[in-house]
């Protein structure tokens, strides 16, 4: 399993003893549950935001009280670009939970943190992530990680040995190969109709002798792949009846 396929968790905590405790709890949780975790550690909100990008993290363990930039202000900045990351606040005072609704916090853990409570809440968060894993795939896009809904991807294209992901909203330059993408997806919606194209058959509007209209794009279809391509489209349509 590669780093991109793991659950990325960030600890943002300015107290060293609390950071170490959370790291210890995450190691124990990973051993008990078998969840593949990649843990990032930051001593304050400002340093975290310097490395933050949308889709890079799945879960944030965010201390509310920090010396330079508190957790609530950090969460407000995060929500300007990332609506999906699950924020779990670590706090001394329960009343801060009310403020958490404004940044759509997933949960709260009150200090001193007990492992049984920590594991229960983290398990809920990982289950939330795992329920959507079938519909989302993480891709390495240039210098960042993005999570894309499979239902929103029209096709993958190779141009001058570079891989591009065409979605219903934008185009991404991906650092992967088309073959590895095909293996990673292993999804009946996607078919390799040409050496340089992997298309989502849900978006196929029509198929000609040597091409297919995928959304508004004209995609080449190899002669020796055409029959299997038509079969894939038929199988997809049949599954929707």
């Amino acid at each position: 399993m590669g780093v991109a396929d793991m659950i990325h968790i960030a600890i943002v905590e300015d107290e060293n003893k609390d950071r170490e405790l959370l790291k210890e709890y995450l190691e124990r949780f990973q051993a008990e549950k078998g969840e593949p975790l990649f843990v990032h550690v930051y001593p304050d909100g400002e340093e975290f935001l310097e490395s933050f990008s949308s889709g890079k993290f799945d879960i944030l363990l965010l201390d509310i009280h920090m010396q330079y930039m508190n957790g609530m202000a950090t969460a407000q900045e995060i929500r300007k670009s990332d609506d999906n990351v699950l924020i779990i606040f670590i706090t001394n005072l329960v009343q801060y939970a009310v403020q958490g609704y404004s940044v759509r916090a997933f949960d709260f853990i009150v200090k001193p943190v007990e492992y049984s409570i920590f594991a229960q809440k983290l398990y809920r968060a990982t289950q939330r992530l795992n329920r959507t894993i079938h519909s989302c795939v993480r891709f390495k896009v240039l210098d960042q990680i993005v999570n894309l809904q499979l239902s929103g991807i029209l096709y993958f294209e190779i141009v001058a040995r570079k891989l591009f992901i065409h979605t219903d909203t934008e185009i991404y330059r991906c650092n992967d190969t088309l073959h590895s993408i095909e293996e990673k997806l292993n999804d009946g919606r996607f078919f390799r109709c040409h050496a340089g194209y992997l298309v989502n058959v849900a978006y196929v509007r029509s198929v000609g002798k040597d091409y297919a209209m995928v959304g508004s794009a004209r995609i080449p279809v190899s002669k020796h792949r055409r029959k299997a391509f038509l079969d894939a489209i038929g199988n997809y349509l049949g599954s929707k009846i």
Side-chain angles (χ1 to χ4, degrees):
M1 174 175 290
V3 170
D5 298 311
M6 304 174 78
I7 294 176
H8 286 248
I9 298 180
I11 298 171
V12 186
E13 167 65 70
D14 64 346
E15 292 289 340
N16 183 62
K17 62 179 179 59
D18 291 333
R19 285 198 304 272
E20 292 304 313
L21 181 65
L22 291 174
K23 285 169 59 179
E24 178 187 321
Y25 282 178
L26 286 172
E27 290 174 1
R28 179 176 170 183
F29 180 87
Q30 182 172 227
E32 291 178 354
K33 302 295 184 183
E35 285 285 1
L37 307 179
F38 192 98
V39 181
H40 311 251
V41 181
Y42 301 90
D44 61 71
E46 289 183 347
E47 185 172 320
F48 169 73
L49 289 174
E50 286 177 2
S51 67
F52 174 79
S53 61
S54 179
K56 182 176 181 179
F57 303 99
D58 301 301
I59 300 171
L60 303 184
L61 300 175
L62 190 55
D63 184 22
I64 285 186
H65 292 284
M66 291 185 288
Q67 183 176 359
Y68 297 108
M69 186 176 193
N70 67 45
M72 199 61 65
T74 303
Q76 289 167 353
E77 289 299 313
I78 290 166
R79 286 297 185 229
K80 291 179 181 179
S81 62
D82 193 324
D83 288 326
N84 297 317
V85 62
L86 302 181
I87 298 175
I88 299 178
F89 280 119
I90 312 293
T91 179
N92 290 308
L93 301 172
V94 177
Q95 56 260 41
Y96 280 100
V98 176
Q99 296 182 33
Y101 288 114
S102 66
V103 291
R104 299 179 297 285
F106 178 76
D107 213 331
F108 290 80
I109 300 176
V110 179
K111 293 183 178 181
V113 181
E114 297 181 5
Y115 178 73
S116 59
I117 300 298
F118 174 87
Q120 177 185 6
K121 292 177 182 287
L122 188 63
Y123 180 73
R124 286 184 57 240
T126 58
Q127 287 299 104
R128 166 78 69 86
L129 292 171
N130 289 335
R131 280 199 297 271
T132 60
I133 200 167
H134 68 282
S135 62
C136 264
V137 174
R138 178 179 284 137
F139 297 96
K140 182 80 179 295
V141 174
L142 296 183
D143 61 346
Q144 64 178 320
I145 301 293
V146 297
N147 292 310
L148 299 180
Q149 290 278 345
L150 292 183
S151 59
I153 298 175
L154 280 70
Y155 60 95
F156 299 84
E157 175 186 35
I158 296 291
V159 178
R161 298 185 179 180
K162 298 179 177 63
L163 177 63
F164 295 88
I165 307 173
H166 294 255
T167 75
D168 51 4
T169 57
E170 55 187 301
I171 301 172
Y172 298 90
R173 163 79 185 284
C174 184
N175 294 349
D176 224 323
T177 66
L178 198 57
H179 177 70
S180 63
I181 291 292
E182 190 175 15
E183 288 189 333
K184 177 190 287 189
L185 296 184
N186 191 26
D187 188 296
R189 286 172 290 182
F190 291 87
F191 187 86
R192 188 88 170 263
C193 65
H194 183 275
Y197 291 88
L198 179 67
V199 307
N200 186 339
V201 298
Y203 285 95
V204 175
R205 295 168 48 205
S206 63
V207 180
K209 183 178 180 180
D210 58 0
Y211 71 91
M213 294 303 299
V214 181
S216 60
R218 184 182 174 108
I219 304 297
V221 177
S222 300
K223 181 179 179 180
H224 70 281
R225 300 176 192 251
R226 188 174 185 276
K227 183 181 183 303
F229 182 43
L230 292 172
D231 289 343
I233 296 171
N235 290 336
Y236 171 78
L237 294 174
S239 69
K240 296 299 177 182
I241 296 175

